[in-house]
Amino acid sequence: MALGSGTMEAVDEPGPGFGNRVNGLVFRSLGIPTGARITESFVEFQSQSSREGPVTLSFFGERAPAPATFSAANGPNNRTRTAASVDWRPPLLTPSEFHRTPDLSTAVQEVVDMAGWTAASGLSVIFDGTTANADGERRDFSTADTAPAGTRSARLTVTYATGPRRRH
């Protein structure tokens, strides 16, 4: 992950000194109350480019109700991940189109259920990937406000319910 670059290169980069990428996004002050039941959650990315070939991206939450900002010394590969994860096999992407991950609610629920979670808490989403080929297959996504009004930023959507849980 290149900090502050505005681009995430998912999976790998061929050549010496490169390899599998571990990426992360931090979303602050989500407004999700303590005890909420997560019914749906996904991240939308705007694609920048795509190299042909199959890739599998694995998404996790960070097990922290107040995630720190990523840094060179404390990047996403150094964070404790949720036990819950979700795999995504994105198609070959068309640049500038938005693409949605599968439902990440199991990983998000694991974080929301942690002691210390409040409506002011944030969420860190971590993902890495694999490919069956060594040809540098990857998917590149815009992640930062590099365009007017944040139109290219990665976006987290979380839908939740409150109140007593029904038993069936």
Side-chain angles (χ1 to χ4, degrees), residues 10-95:
V11 183
D12 68 10
E13 182 77 25
F18 293 97
N20 197 37
R21 307 278 181 153
V22 178
N23 294 286
L25 298 163
V26 178
F27 299 94
R28 302 275 180 218
S29 301
L30 297 178
I32 301 169
T34 303
R37 291 181 317 282
I38 308 304
T39 58
E40 182 180 33
S41 180
F42 55 87
V43 175
E44 286 182 295
F45 295 102
Q46 185 183 39
S47 60
Q48 285 190 339
S49 65
S50 191
R51 292 191 183 163
E52 289 190 38
V55 299
T56 300
L57 304 177
S58 297
F59 286 80
F60 304 82
E62 178 186 353
R63 288 196 47 81
T69 300
F70 293 120
S71 67
N74 191 16
N77 54 327
N78 298 324
R79 307 294 178 96
T80 302
R81 299 176 184 194
T82 55
S85 67
V86 177
D87 287 345
W88 181 33
R89 291 172 185 82
L92 195 59
L93 306 176
T94 302

